[in-house]
Amino acid sequence: MMRVLITAGLLGLWLAGCADPHLDALEQTLTNARTHAEEPDALSIPELPAYRPVGYHHDARRSPFLAAEAIIAPTGTSPGASRDGKLAPDTTRPKEPLERFALQQLQLVGTLSMGKRHVALIQTPEHEVVSVREGNYVGHNHGRITRITPQAVSVSERVYIRQDGWQKRAATLELGLDTPAR
């Protein structure tokens, strides 16, 4: 019983401490502030220049990710290596649609598996989606699709290096990434 009385007494003291005799004065001050308030000054934000996207079109130029001296244009000649060889690409075959774009411009957006057949869906910079299979060609560097997995497409490119001639280079288009991994 004593414990209940002590608890009730402490609760009463605590509630009494919450009472403020100056609440009316505070309410009056807030009312005055509301009635005499001025509108805030409008923020002066400078106008931003219009956004103009700039496309990067490097169809006829070398890739900025490769050293200039490492790759020669197909029309050039090299004193150290022959332009023919077992790795030289077949330039007489008809070009496929995705060879118009650099591999860096293509994006893997999906893959499909139907039994043992795998199909990849690749988006072009023109926002077209093209389906490809193993063996199709992509990119400017005579890239050929060698493997399609649920998350990636493996590509084997052929590049001409001045000292060594035609060489194979592996690249990968991964799902959700904008640029191919080398």
Side-chain angles (χ1 to χ4, degrees), residues 4 6 8 12 21 23 32 51 53 75 89 102 118 130 143 146 152 160 164 171:
V4 172
I6 292 174
L23 275 178
N32 287 342
Y51 172 72
T75 57
H118 301 287
V130 179
T146 57
Y160 187 77
D164 303 323

Side-chain angles (χ1 to χ4, degrees), residues 72-83 160 162:
I72 295 179
T75 57
T77 60
S78 171
S82 169
R83 300 288 294 164
Y160 187 77
R162 180 180 300 174

